Amino acid sequence: MTATPTAVRSYQELLKKVPCYCGCIDEELKSHESHQSHKSLYHCFNQKQESDKIYWTDHGANCGISLQELEDVTKKDFY
């Protein structure tokens, strides 16, 4: 699956409930305050959101585990 903003936006409420298991973000947490809110799979793709503006991050698009999790979430039998 290609991680597109459209797919992430379509499933954002569900992605916010799914834990992130990639561990890749741990190094970024040490050096980037903007990632301090990384608590779910949604945050693998979304750096932050202010009102109607979303700041995307390429972490999820470049992480095989995040992409696999996104694919699993978008399957009908997941929920």
Side-chain angles (χ1 to χ4, degrees):
M1 160 173 254
T2 302
T4 64
T6 302
V8 174
R9 201 176 282 124
S10 295
Y11 292 94
Q12 69 179 327
E13 293 308 313
L14 184 55
L15 293 173
K16 289 176 183 178
K17 297 175 185 175
V18 176
C20 167
Y21 294 106
C22 68
C24 301
I25 202 76
D26 292 343
E27 289 303 312
E28 290 185 38
L29 281 170
K30 292 176 186 174
S31 61
H32 299 297
E33 289 183 27
S34 62
H35 289 283
Q36 293 297 325
S37 63
H38 187 87
K39 297 177 182 168
S40 68
L41 184 57
Y42 180 70
H43 291 103
C44 286
F45 301 96
N46 174 336
Q47 185 176 19
K48 67 180 179 176
Q49 187 169 351
E50 296 173 351
S51 298
D52 293 335
K53 188 166 185 163
I54 296 175
Y55 296 88
W56 298 102
T57 177
D58 63 354
H59 167 75
N62 294 313
C63 175
I65 294 171
S66 296
L67 289 171
Q68 183 61 54
E69 284 187 82
L70 178 62
E71 184 175 343
D72 292 345
V73 166
T74 59
K75 290 180 180 176
K76 277 187 145 180
D77 59 345
F78 181 84
Y79 48 94

